[in-house]
Each structure stands twice: as C-alpha cells, then as structure tokens.
Amino acid sequence: MGPYAFDDALTGSSITCDYPGLQALMVERSDEPSTCASLFFPGCSLINYGLPLVQSVYDLLKSAGEVDGISLLCCGKILQYEPDGPAQRRSFEAELIEQVSARGTRRIVAACPNCVLALRGALARDERTQGVEIVALPLLLAQMGYRIDAGIARETLNRELAWRHPDWYDEGGNPTEACEAPEKLLFMPHDSCPDKKTGEFADGLRALMPEELLVEGEKVRKRSVCCGSLARAAGKTELADSQAREHGQDASDLGASAIVTACVSCTFQLMMAQREVPVFHYLELLFNWRIDWYHADAYMKLRFLFDDSLGVEKQGQGARNFVGLGGEGAAKEDA
C-alpha cells in the first residue's frame, strides 16, 4: 500500500510515508502555510493503525466540501503520560492555538473522541480560538447520509469468524453440520470514556450502523466502562486486560457476535486483550477494509505530533518524538 502523501494544513509540512510500517519517506516544509477554514483531524491512533482509512475519509470529506485540509498532528493528550507531562502538554497546546488561529481555522472534524475532548478544552482557553467548532466524525458522516451496508457488515464479520473458527465453515464458506456459528450476527456497541458527556460518537455510531445488527448492553453511553486503554497508559496492564476481557464476556452474554466501537484506541485494546469476540471500528465496516490489528502494535512507530519529527530520525519500534511545532525543543524518545 501507499506511499501516502498529505499536506499538513497546520504545520505547513508535506508528508509522504509508507504503510504499513509508517516510515516517513519525505518531509518538506512550506515557508508560507496557506489558510484552512475547515480541517480534518484524524488523530494519531487512526493515522498509525489505519492510514488508508485516513486517506479515504479525507477524500470523501474534501470532495463533499466539508473540509479544506488535513492535519496529522496529535491532540496532545498523550503528552500527559510523559515525564513532566502537564507542562509539555500546556506548551504544545499553546503552540496548537497559535497555528489554528494563524490558519484562520473555524471548524475541525475530528475522528477520535479523545481528540474532540482535548481540542475543545485547549481551544476554549484562548479568545482567538474559543469559537472554533469541533465536530465528531461519525455524527457528521451520518448527517451526510452515509450508512454501513448490512450485507457488507455481515460478510466482514463472517470472514472474521471463519478465520477464527475454520471448523465452522467448509471451503466454500458455508457452515458445516457441526457449525457453532451464531444464527444471527449481532454487534454490541462499546462507547468510549471521553464521549460520555456529549454522546456524539455514540449517536453517530448508532446512526451509521444497521439497526437490525445492533444489540445493546447495560454498559453504554454514560454507564460505559473503560476498555482498559487508560489503565494501560498508566502502566497497569493487568487491570487493562481484565477490563477488556469483561467487555468480551458481556458481548458473549448478550449473544453478540462482535463489538463495534467509534474509538480506534478502544478497538485496539479490546482486540488485543480479549479473544472472546472480534472487535470492529465502524470505519472498517463503512469502507469495507479490515485493519490488521494483530500486527498493529508494530505500526505505532510515529506519533505525528509535530512537523519536523516525522521520520527525520530513524526511530525504533514504538518510538515517539516530541518536538515543538516551530521545530524548537529537544526530541524525546519512548521506545
């Protein structure tokens, strides 16, 4: 796949990188970045795990006139887990505010619920960016009239089940006599923690999914329980995996064949830490393209936080560089 090329509207950088692997091939910077009134902000998790989906969503939004440009920046939330994290995050957000203001950006379409919460909090602190509208991607896609095709969702889930349970199906993909496959394919929604207050991603997810394929549990929306990502970020891996396995058991108890999420980080955590049921991000179903989650951890090579940290230095697996938007400051690596 790839290479993929993007002109970053906030940093003025032109980035070309391959996928999978996410090794930046070329980074060029313009001395005079152009204005960008409406911006697509995919967030670092979607960039690292599903760069082809980033391209597809951006092309769709741009062709529809919903956005004028894209930025591969991170929202900055991840910085809080670094040494002296609060100070680093405040410094980054101050630079982010400057760039959003300088580009005349008045609307940001964000693919990640963490990004929506982080961007709103950061931009609201400065009068120049207080009025910037932050839009949740799934809700916008639903408002634009897009829907996940029920047939494609069933086929995608059947392929996953056949891969996990080859004894359930014959070579033609038909259920065997001893098949234990579910008679009805159902998806249990998982709602992310940062979306609890507004429910925008929860609403958008349900509007996009075929109603007949959904089964609701009790731990939804404001009652949702963390997937385990927060505990993992804090280094509590045992607790993180326990939380993920609980979701898998909940889905099985409901008779769900899979879990569907609107958060890439949730999808990754629930896929890797529990094997009870498969997990899908809604964009995989909408665009009929499955992320290779079992190798996705190897793709987390670049956190596209800042313009001149994009592949300028060779990075080890899992490494992240943190550099200021203007290129100032020392790089930090987290291997």
Side-chain angles (χ1 to χ4, degrees):
M1 296 182 185
Y4 293 86
F6 300 95
D7 294 324
D8 193 298
L10 292 183
T11 67
S13 298
S14 296
I15 302 108
T16 302
C17 56
D18 59 3
Y19 180 92
L22 281 182
Q23 202 65 44
L25 306 177
M26 181 173 58
V27 180
E28 296 179 351
R29 185 174 179 181
S30 170
D31 293 331
E32 297 182 3
S34 59
T35 60
C36 182
S38 186
L39 178 75
F40 176 44
F41 200 95
C44 54
S45 292
L46 185 57
I47 291 167
N48 279 274
Y49 294 144
L51 193 60
L53 290 175
V54 172
Q55 184 73 70
S56 295
V57 173
Y58 179 44
D59 290 345
L60 185 154
L61 294 177
K62 193 170 184 180
S63 65
E66 293 289 344
V67 300
D68 307 313
I70 187 172
S71 178
L72 302 186
L73 288 177
C74 174
C75 66
K77 178 181 177 179
I78 192 67
L79 289 171
Q80 70 190 42
Y81 301 108
E82 298 297 314
D84 195 25
Q88 288 192 51
R89 184 173 180 181
R90 285 194 300 272
S91 176
F92 166 71
E93 289 177 343
E95 293 183 272
L96 179 64
I97 289 168
E98 290 292 334
Q99 299 303 325
V100 170
S101 176
R103 305 296 177 263
T105 303
R106 306 309 301 165
R107 182 174 184 258
I108 297 175
V109 179
C112 171
N114 284 294
C115 290
V116 166
L117 192 63
L119 291 172
R120 282 177 179 162
L123 299 181
R125 290 196 291 271
D126 192 291
E127 61 181 10
R128 294 171 296 172
T129 53
Q130 284 177 349
V132 175
E133 180 187 12
I134 311 297
V135 180
L137 175 64
L139 201 56
L140 174 61
L141 291 173
Q143 291 168 352
M144 293 170 66
Y146 288 96
R147 297 294 183 271
I148 291 167
D149 182 85
I152 289 176
R154 291 190 185 97
E155 289 174 10
T156 303
L157 180 50
N158 263 322
R159 285 197 301 269
E160 183 76 15
L161 292 174
W163 176 78
R164 287 170 174 251
H165 307 283
D167 56 312
W168 288 1
Y169 302 88
D170 61 24
E171 293 182 357
N174 301 307
T176 63
E177 292 183 4
C179 177
E180 298 180 27
E183 293 183 7
K184 188 174 183 181
L185 300 178
L186 296 171
F187 293 80
M188 182 188 81
H190 166 73
D191 299 317
S192 62
C193 297
D195 189 51
K196 284 184 178 181
K197 185 175 181 180
T198 65
E200 295 158 281
F201 283 81
D203 289 341
L205 173 63
R206 286 159 178 79
L208 290 168
M209 283 291 295
E211 187 176 352
E212 68 271 20
L213 297 186
L214 287 179
V215 57
E216 294 275 4
E218 295 181 359
K219 301 170 185 175
V220 295
R221 299 182 179 272
K222 294 183 182 298
R223 301 189 302 276
S224 180
V225 177
C226 182
C227 66
S229 291
L230 185 60
R232 181 169 295 279
K236 301 177 181 179
T237 55
E238 187 175 335
L239 173 61
D241 292 351
S242 174
Q243 289 177 316
R245 289 192 295 269
E246 182 179 339
H247 286 289
Q249 187 60 54
D250 287 345
S252 293
D253 292 345
L254 273 175
S257 315
I259 297 171
V260 61
T261 84
C263 174
V264 177
S265 295
C266 290
T267 311
F268 176 72
Q269 171 64 14
L270 293 173
M271 273 290 290
M272 299 307 295
Q274 67 83 36
R275 302 299 172 91
E276 190 74 21
V277 296
V279 188
F280 295 85
H281 189 272
Y282 76 92
L283 287 176
E284 295 180 277
L285 302 175
L286 185 63
F287 287 93
N288 194 21
W289 186 80
R290 183 67 161 150
I291 294 172
D292 184 2
W293 292 105
Y294 291 117
H295 295 93
D297 55 337
Y299 301 163
M300 292 298 287
K301 293 180 178 178
L302 297 176
R303 289 280 189 181
F304 290 92
L305 274 163
F306 308 107
D307 54 342
D308 46 5
S309 67
L310 302 182
V312 176
E313 300 177 5
K314 292 290 184 181
Q315 302 190 49
Q317 191 156 306
R320 299 198 300 268
N321 278 348
F322 299 135
V323 183
L325 279 166
E328 300 177 356
K332 292 182 179 290
E333 290 191 355
D334 177 18

